[in-house]
Amino acid sequence: MSENLASKLREGTKHSHTMAENTAFMKCFLKGIVEPEPFRKLIANLYFVYSTLEEELQQRCNHPVVGQIYFPELNRKANLEKDLTYYYGRNWREQIVPSEAGKAYVTRIQEVAKIEPALLVAHAYVRYMGDLSGGQSLKKIARSSMDLLPDGGTAFYEFEQIPTPEARKAFKAKYRQALNSLAVDDILATKIIAEANYVFELNRNLIQELEADVKAAIGDRVFDLITRQDKPGSTERPPGNTSVELIAAE
Ligand code: HEM
């Protein structure tokens, strides 16, 4: 067993996390610039990603490794469907297609599920731990920025069964424990960390595709002002020790 897979994952992906936070799309997001068109495209791509991920995880719920980190209360597909109805209307299914980066992400999940299912741990970790962490601040920013109707448009960030900051903190501790008790040797742990870094890259590609839309909406000058400086990433700090900005948002 590889002890402390949870810390190894956090440590081993912190540079990727910093890069994700420093993408132009995320920098604008954190400054309160969330444009409806790129945002709904992101939700559409995430729908394809999570549908695939959750189907592959569910099919392997008896797998000795994958089964240990399958928590149906994390499933996002149904909530993404709610958001798609909000942004595209009832016939959302006919209106959305995955982008190039979205297709590549989906293909990778399917490939890993077939060839080495234990690597699905990396896919679940990057998305769900992220959604339970920074995702909660992003929800508040999206709501105030887009002036959404009450209770509409941010179901993706809402975990009905893990509804409060305390519950999310406890759940993340449980998830880290589950990671630490996986029957994974050091070689497999190294592969999972490498895959997690690749998952960050797939996510970066997904949001980089949306930059042109953001730029078109806010103009070159403001876009350049907002995106020219990098900041230290949230996971460069010890777990739970978030920046003042993010604590205020939670
Ligand atoms: C601007 C965007 C983002 C912000 C503000 C943000 C913020 C945070 C914060 C504050 C934490 C630490 C939570 C804690 O210590 O308990 C965290 C953890 C995490 N985030 Fe992000 N994040 C962002 C983007 C992303 C993206 C794009 C991904 C991946 C798709 C991601 C994946 C993760 C993961 C996997 C963790 C858990 C690290 C660990 O403790 O093992 N984040 N994020």
Side-chain angles (χ1 to χ4, degrees), residues 56-93:
E56 300 291 2
L57 289 174
Q58 206 267 324
Q59 277 179 18
R60 287 165 187 77
C61 61
N62 293 321
H63 182 281
V65 173
V66 179
Q68 300 304 308
I69 52 95
Y70 180 57
F71 296 97
E73 62 268 46
L74 291 175
N75 284 353
R76 304 287 76 215
K77 185 182 172 191
N79 284 26
L80 283 161
E81 287 176 350
K82 282 190 208 166
D83 287 343
L84 289 169
T85 308
Y86 182 90
Y87 293 109
Y88 288 92
R90 278 219 213 121
N91 64 346
W92 58 267
R93 260 176 223 278

Short mmCIF file of all heavy atoms in Angstrom, two decimals, residues 56-93:
data_model
loop_
_atom_site.label_atom_id
_atom_site.label_comp_id
_atom_site.label_asym_id
_atom_site.label_seq_id
_atom_site.Cartn_x
_atom_site.Cartn_y
_atom_site.Cartn_z
N GLU A 56 -18.35 5.29 -16.02
CA GLU A 56 -17.20 4.37 -15.88
C GLU A 56 -16.98 4.01 -14.41
O GLU A 56 -16.67 2.87 -14.08
CB GLU A 56 -15.92 4.99 -16.48
CG GLU A 56 -16.00 5.33 -17.97
CD GLU A 56 -16.07 4.10 -18.89
OE1 GLU A 56 -16.09 2.96 -18.40
OE2 GLU A 56 -16.14 4.30 -20.12
N LEU A 57 -17.15 4.98 -13.52
CA LEU A 57 -16.95 4.70 -12.08
C LEU A 57 -18.03 3.74 -11.60
O LEU A 57 -17.75 2.77 -10.89
CB LEU A 57 -17.02 5.99 -11.25
CG LEU A 57 -15.86 6.98 -11.38
CD1 LEU A 57 -16.18 8.27 -10.61
CD2 LEU A 57 -14.55 6.40 -10.87
N GLN A 58 -19.26 4.03 -12.01
CA GLN A 58 -20.38 3.21 -11.55
C GLN A 58 -20.22 1.75 -12.00
O GLN A 58 -20.44 0.82 -11.25
CB GLN A 58 -21.67 3.83 -12.08
CG GLN A 58 -22.89 3.51 -11.25
CD GLN A 58 -23.60 2.29 -11.77
OE1 GLN A 58 -23.64 2.09 -12.98
NE2 GLN A 58 -24.13 1.47 -10.89
N GLN A 59 -19.79 1.61 -13.27
CA GLN A 59 -19.59 0.25 -13.80
C GLN A 59 -18.50 -0.52 -13.06
O GLN A 59 -18.45 -1.73 -13.12
CB GLN A 59 -19.19 0.33 -15.28
CG GLN A 59 -20.37 0.48 -16.19
CD GLN A 59 -19.92 0.59 -17.65
OE1 GLN A 59 -18.80 0.23 -18.01
NE2 GLN A 59 -20.79 1.11 -18.49
N ARG A 60 -17.61 0.23 -12.40
CA ARG A 60 -16.51 -0.42 -11.69
C ARG A 60 -16.65 -0.28 -10.18
O ARG A 60 -15.65 -0.28 -9.47
CB ARG A 60 -15.18 0.17 -12.17
CG ARG A 60 -14.84 -0.31 -13.55
CD ARG A 60 -13.75 0.48 -14.22
NE ARG A 60 -13.61 0.03 -15.61
CZ ARG A 60 -14.44 0.36 -16.60
NH1 ARG A 60 -15.46 1.16 -16.36
NH2 ARG A 60 -14.25 -0.11 -17.80
N CYS A 61 -17.88 -0.18 -9.70
CA CYS A 61 -18.04 0.04 -8.25
C CYS A 61 -17.61 -1.17 -7.42
O CYS A 61 -17.44 -1.07 -6.22
CB CYS A 61 -19.44 0.53 -7.91
SG CYS A 61 -20.70 -0.63 -8.36
N ASN A 62 -17.40 -2.31 -8.08
CA ASN A 62 -16.87 -3.47 -7.36
C ASN A 62 -15.38 -3.69 -7.59
O ASN A 62 -14.80 -4.65 -7.08
CB ASN A 62 -17.62 -4.74 -7.75
CG ASN A 62 -19.07 -4.67 -7.28
OD1 ASN A 62 -19.32 -4.19 -6.18
ND2 ASN A 62 -19.99 -5.10 -8.12
N HIS A 63 -14.77 -2.80 -8.33
CA HIS A 63 -13.32 -2.89 -8.55
C HIS A 63 -12.62 -2.60 -7.22
O HIS A 63 -13.01 -1.68 -6.49
CB HIS A 63 -12.93 -1.85 -9.62
CG HIS A 63 -11.48 -1.87 -9.99
ND1 HIS A 63 -10.50 -1.28 -9.22
CD2 HIS A 63 -10.83 -2.40 -11.07
CE1 HIS A 63 -9.33 -1.44 -9.81
NE2 HIS A 63 -9.50 -2.12 -10.92
N PRO A 64 -11.56 -3.38 -6.88
CA PRO A 64 -10.93 -3.22 -5.55
C PRO A 64 -10.38 -1.81 -5.26
O PRO A 64 -10.34 -1.39 -4.11
CB PRO A 64 -9.80 -4.25 -5.55
CG PRO A 64 -9.63 -4.67 -6.98
CD PRO A 64 -10.96 -4.47 -7.64
N VAL A 65 -9.95 -1.11 -6.28
CA VAL A 65 -9.44 0.25 -6.05
C VAL A 65 -10.53 1.28 -6.34
O VAL A 65 -10.90 2.09 -5.48
CB VAL A 65 -8.18 0.53 -6.91
CG1 VAL A 65 -7.75 1.99 -6.80
CG2 VAL A 65 -7.04 -0.39 -6.49
N VAL A 66 -11.08 1.23 -7.55
CA VAL A 66 -12.05 2.25 -7.98
C VAL A 66 -13.27 2.27 -7.03
O VAL A 66 -13.76 3.34 -6.65
CB VAL A 66 -12.49 1.99 -9.44
CG1 VAL A 66 -13.53 3.00 -9.89
CG2 VAL A 66 -11.29 2.00 -10.37
N GLY A 67 -13.73 1.09 -6.63
CA GLY A 67 -14.91 0.98 -5.76
C GLY A 67 -14.74 1.75 -4.45
O GLY A 67 -15.72 2.28 -3.91
N GLN A 68 -13.51 1.85 -3.99
CA GLN A 68 -13.25 2.52 -2.69
C GLN A 68 -13.38 4.05 -2.76
O GLN A 68 -13.51 4.70 -1.74
CB GLN A 68 -11.82 2.19 -2.19
CG GLN A 68 -11.56 0.71 -1.97
CD GLN A 68 -12.56 0.09 -1.02
OE1 GLN A 68 -12.77 0.59 0.07
NE2 GLN A 68 -13.19 -0.98 -1.47
N ILE A 69 -13.28 4.58 -3.97
CA ILE A 69 -13.41 6.06 -4.05
C ILE A 69 -14.66 6.44 -4.86
O ILE A 69 -14.78 7.55 -5.35
CB ILE A 69 -12.15 6.77 -4.62
CG1 ILE A 69 -11.71 6.16 -5.95
CG2 ILE A 69 -10.99 6.74 -3.64
CD1 ILE A 69 -12.22 6.86 -7.13
N TYR A 70 -15.60 5.48 -4.99
CA TYR A 70 -16.85 5.82 -5.68
C TYR A 70 -17.90 6.24 -4.64
O TYR A 70 -18.36 5.43 -3.84
CB TYR A 70 -17.35 4.62 -6.49
CG TYR A 70 -18.65 4.92 -7.22
CD1 TYR A 70 -18.74 5.99 -8.10
CD2 TYR A 70 -19.79 4.15 -7.00
CE1 TYR A 70 -19.93 6.29 -8.74
CE2 TYR A 70 -20.99 4.43 -7.65
CZ TYR A 70 -21.04 5.51 -8.52
OH TYR A 70 -22.22 5.81 -9.16
N PHE A 71 -18.23 7.51 -4.65
CA PHE A 71 -19.22 8.05 -3.72
C PHE A 71 -20.34 8.68 -4.57
O PHE A 71 -20.18 9.79 -5.09
CB PHE A 71 -18.60 9.12 -2.82
CG PHE A 71 -17.53 8.61 -1.91
CD1 PHE A 71 -16.18 8.73 -2.26
CD2 PHE A 71 -17.85 7.99 -0.70
CE1 PHE A 71 -15.18 8.25 -1.41
CE2 PHE A 71 -16.86 7.51 0.15
CZ PHE A 71 -15.52 7.64 -0.21
N PRO A 72 -21.48 7.98 -4.70
CA PRO A 72 -22.55 8.49 -5.59
C PRO A 72 -23.05 9.87 -5.17
O PRO A 72 -23.56 10.62 -6.02
CB PRO A 72 -23.66 7.45 -5.44
CG PRO A 72 -23.02 6.24 -4.86
CD PRO A 72 -21.80 6.68 -4.11
N GLU A 73 -22.88 10.23 -3.88
CA GLU A 73 -23.33 11.57 -3.47
C GLU A 73 -22.53 12.70 -4.14
O GLU A 73 -22.91 13.87 -4.07
CB GLU A 73 -23.32 11.71 -1.93
CG GLU A 73 -21.98 11.58 -1.24
CD GLU A 73 -21.68 10.14 -0.78
OE1 GLU A 73 -21.88 9.20 -1.58
OE2 GLU A 73 -21.23 9.98 0.36
N LEU A 74 -21.42 12.33 -4.79
CA LEU A 74 -20.64 13.35 -5.50
C LEU A 74 -21.13 13.55 -6.94
O LEU A 74 -20.78 14.54 -7.58
CB LEU A 74 -19.16 12.93 -5.55
CG LEU A 74 -18.38 12.94 -4.24
CD1 LEU A 74 -16.98 12.39 -4.47
CD2 LEU A 74 -18.30 14.35 -3.66
N ASN A 75 -21.92 12.61 -7.44
CA ASN A 75 -22.30 12.64 -8.86
C ASN A 75 -22.84 14.00 -9.30
O ASN A 75 -23.69 14.59 -8.63
CB ASN A 75 -23.33 11.55 -9.17
CG ASN A 75 -22.69 10.16 -9.23
OD1 ASN A 75 -21.45 10.06 -9.17
ND2 ASN A 75 -23.50 9.13 -9.32
N ARG A 76 -22.35 14.47 -10.43
CA ARG A 76 -22.69 15.81 -10.92
C ARG A 76 -23.62 15.80 -12.13
O ARG A 76 -24.11 16.85 -12.55
CB ARG A 76 -21.41 16.59 -11.33
CG ARG A 76 -20.32 16.76 -10.29
CD ARG A 76 -20.65 17.74 -9.20
NE ARG A 76 -21.59 17.17 -8.25
CZ ARG A 76 -22.54 17.85 -7.63
NH1 ARG A 76 -22.71 19.11 -7.84
NH2 ARG A 76 -23.33 17.26 -6.76
N LYS A 77 -23.81 14.62 -12.75
CA LYS A 77 -24.53 14.60 -14.03
C LYS A 77 -25.93 15.22 -13.93
O LYS A 77 -26.29 16.09 -14.73
CB LYS A 77 -24.62 13.16 -14.54
CG LYS A 77 -25.24 13.06 -15.91
CD LYS A 77 -25.35 11.62 -16.37
CE LYS A 77 -26.16 11.56 -17.65
NZ LYS A 77 -26.52 10.18 -17.99
N ALA A 78 -26.70 14.80 -12.93
CA ALA A 78 -28.09 15.29 -12.83
C ALA A 78 -28.10 16.81 -12.60
O ALA A 78 -28.96 17.53 -13.15
CB ALA A 78 -28.80 14.57 -11.69
N ASN A 79 -27.13 17.30 -11.81
CA ASN A 79 -27.09 18.74 -11.54
C ASN A 79 -26.67 19.53 -12.78
O ASN A 79 -27.16 20.63 -13.04
CB ASN A 79 -26.16 19.03 -10.36
CG ASN A 79 -26.82 18.67 -9.05
OD1 ASN A 79 -27.69 17.81 -9.01
ND2 ASN A 79 -26.43 19.32 -7.97
N LEU A 80 -25.77 18.93 -13.56
CA LEU A 80 -25.38 19.59 -14.80
C LEU A 80 -26.57 19.66 -15.76
O LEU A 80 -26.75 20.65 -16.47
CB LEU A 80 -24.21 18.84 -15.45
CG LEU A 80 -22.85 19.11 -14.78
CD1 LEU A 80 -21.83 18.03 -15.12
CD2 LEU A 80 -22.31 20.49 -15.19
N GLU A 81 -27.42 18.64 -15.74
CA GLU A 81 -28.62 18.66 -16.59
C GLU A 81 -29.54 19.82 -16.20
O GLU A 81 -30.12 20.49 -17.05
CB GLU A 81 -29.36 17.32 -16.50
CG GLU A 81 -28.62 16.23 -17.25
CD GLU A 81 -29.25 14.84 -17.13
OE1 GLU A 81 -30.17 14.65 -16.31
OE2 GLU A 81 -28.79 13.94 -17.86
N LYS A 82 -29.64 20.05 -14.88
CA LYS A 82 -30.47 21.19 -14.42
C LYS A 82 -29.91 22.51 -14.96
O LYS A 82 -30.65 23.38 -15.43
CB LYS A 82 -30.42 21.28 -12.88
CG LYS A 82 -31.30 20.30 -12.17
CD LYS A 82 -31.33 20.68 -10.68
CE LYS A 82 -31.59 19.45 -9.84
NZ LYS A 82 -31.32 19.65 -8.41
N ASP A 83 -28.58 22.65 -14.86
CA ASP A 83 -27.96 23.90 -15.35
C ASP A 83 -28.11 24.04 -16.86
O ASP A 83 -28.32 25.15 -17.37
CB ASP A 83 -26.47 23.94 -14.97
CG ASP A 83 -26.27 24.19 -13.48
OD1 ASP A 83 -27.22 24.66 -12.82
OD2 ASP A 83 -25.16 23.93 -12.98
N LEU A 84 -28.02 22.93 -17.57
CA LEU A 84 -28.16 23.00 -19.04
C LEU A 84 -29.57 23.44 -19.41
O LEU A 84 -29.77 24.22 -20.34
CB LEU A 84 -27.80 21.66 -19.67
CG LEU A 84 -26.30 21.34 -19.62
CD1 LEU A 84 -26.04 19.88 -20.01
CD2 LEU A 84 -25.51 22.27 -20.54
N THR A 85 -30.56 22.96 -18.65
CA THR A 85 -31.95 23.39 -18.89
C THR A 85 -32.06 24.89 -18.63
O THR A 85 -32.72 25.63 -19.38
CB THR A 85 -32.92 22.61 -17.97
OG1 THR A 85 -32.66 21.23 -18.11
CG2 THR A 85 -34.37 22.90 -18.29
N TYR A 86 -31.40 25.35 -17.58
CA TYR A 86 -31.44 26.78 -17.23
C TYR A 86 -30.83 27.63 -18.35
O TYR A 86 -31.41 28.65 -18.75
CB TYR A 86 -30.68 26.99 -15.91
CG TYR A 86 -30.68 28.41 -15.42
CD1 TYR A 86 -31.70 28.88 -14.56
CD2 TYR A 86 -29.69 29.31 -15.80
CE1 TYR A 86 -31.70 30.19 -14.10
CE2 TYR A 86 -29.69 30.62 -15.35
CZ TYR A 86 -30.69 31.06 -14.50
OH TYR A 86 -30.70 32.34 -14.05
N TYR A 87 -29.67 27.23 -18.87
CA TYR A 87 -28.97 28.08 -19.83
C TYR A 87 -29.39 27.87 -21.29
O TYR A 87 -29.30 28.79 -22.10
CB TYR A 87 -27.45 27.87 -19.75
CG TYR A 87 -26.86 28.35 -18.44
CD1 TYR A 87 -26.39 27.46 -17.49
CD2 TYR A 87 -26.81 29.72 -18.14
CE1 TYR A 87 -25.87 27.91 -16.28
CE2 TYR A 87 -26.29 30.18 -16.94
CZ TYR A 87 -25.83 29.26 -16.01
OH TYR A 87 -25.33 29.71 -14.82
N TYR A 88 -29.83 26.65 -21.63
CA TYR A 88 -30.15 26.38 -23.04
C TYR A 88 -31.65 26.15 -23.27
O TYR A 88 -32.10 26.10 -24.41
CB TYR A 88 -29.40 25.14 -23.54
CG TYR A 88 -27.90 25.35 -23.75
CD1 TYR A 88 -26.99 25.07 -22.73
CD2 TYR A 88 -27.40 25.80 -24.97
CE1 TYR A 88 -25.63 25.24 -22.92
CE2 TYR A 88 -26.03 25.98 -25.16
CZ TYR A 88 -25.15 25.69 -24.14
OH TYR A 88 -23.81 25.86 -24.33
N GLY A 89 -32.39 25.92 -22.21
CA GLY A 89 -33.81 25.59 -22.37
C GLY A 89 -34.02 24.08 -22.40
O GLY A 89 -33.06 23.30 -22.36
N ARG A 90 -35.32 23.69 -22.50
CA ARG A 90 -35.65 22.26 -22.37
C ARG A 90 -35.02 21.37 -23.43
O ARG A 90 -34.78 20.19 -23.23
CB ARG A 90 -37.17 22.08 -22.43
CG ARG A 90 -37.77 22.36 -21.07
CD ARG A 90 -38.90 21.41 -20.76
NE ARG A 90 -39.87 22.17 -19.95
CZ ARG A 90 -41.10 22.35 -20.29
NH1 ARG A 90 -41.56 21.82 -21.40
NH2 ARG A 90 -41.91 23.05 -19.53
N ASN A 91 -34.78 21.95 -24.63
CA ASN A 91 -34.20 21.12 -25.69
C ASN A 91 -32.66 21.23 -25.73
O ASN A 91 -32.05 21.17 -26.79
CB ASN A 91 -34.80 21.46 -27.05
CG ASN A 91 -34.47 22.89 -27.45
OD1 ASN A 91 -34.02 23.69 -26.61
ND2 ASN A 91 -34.66 23.23 -28.71
N TRP A 92 -32.06 21.37 -24.53
CA TRP A 92 -30.61 21.54 -24.44
C TRP A 92 -29.83 20.43 -25.14
O TRP A 92 -28.79 20.67 -25.72
CB TRP A 92 -30.16 21.69 -22.98
CG TRP A 92 -30.52 20.53 -22.09
CD1 TRP A 92 -31.63 20.41 -21.32
CD2 TRP A 92 -29.76 19.34 -21.87
NE1 TRP A 92 -31.62 19.22 -20.64
CE2 TRP A 92 -30.47 18.54 -20.96
CE3 TRP A 92 -28.53 18.85 -22.35
CZ2 TRP A 92 -30.01 17.30 -20.51
CZ3 TRP A 92 -28.07 17.62 -21.90
CH2 TRP A 92 -28.80 16.86 -21.00
N ARG A 93 -30.39 19.21 -25.08
CA ARG A 93 -29.66 18.07 -25.66
C ARG A 93 -29.34 18.28 -27.14
O ARG A 93 -28.31 17.88 -27.64
CB ARG A 93 -30.48 16.79 -25.53
CG ARG A 93 -30.04 15.93 -24.38
CD ARG A 93 -30.96 14.71 -24.22
NE ARG A 93 -31.25 14.51 -22.83
CZ ARG A 93 -30.44 13.87 -22.00
NH1 ARG A 93 -29.32 13.37 -22.41
NH2 ARG A 93 -30.76 13.75 -20.72
#
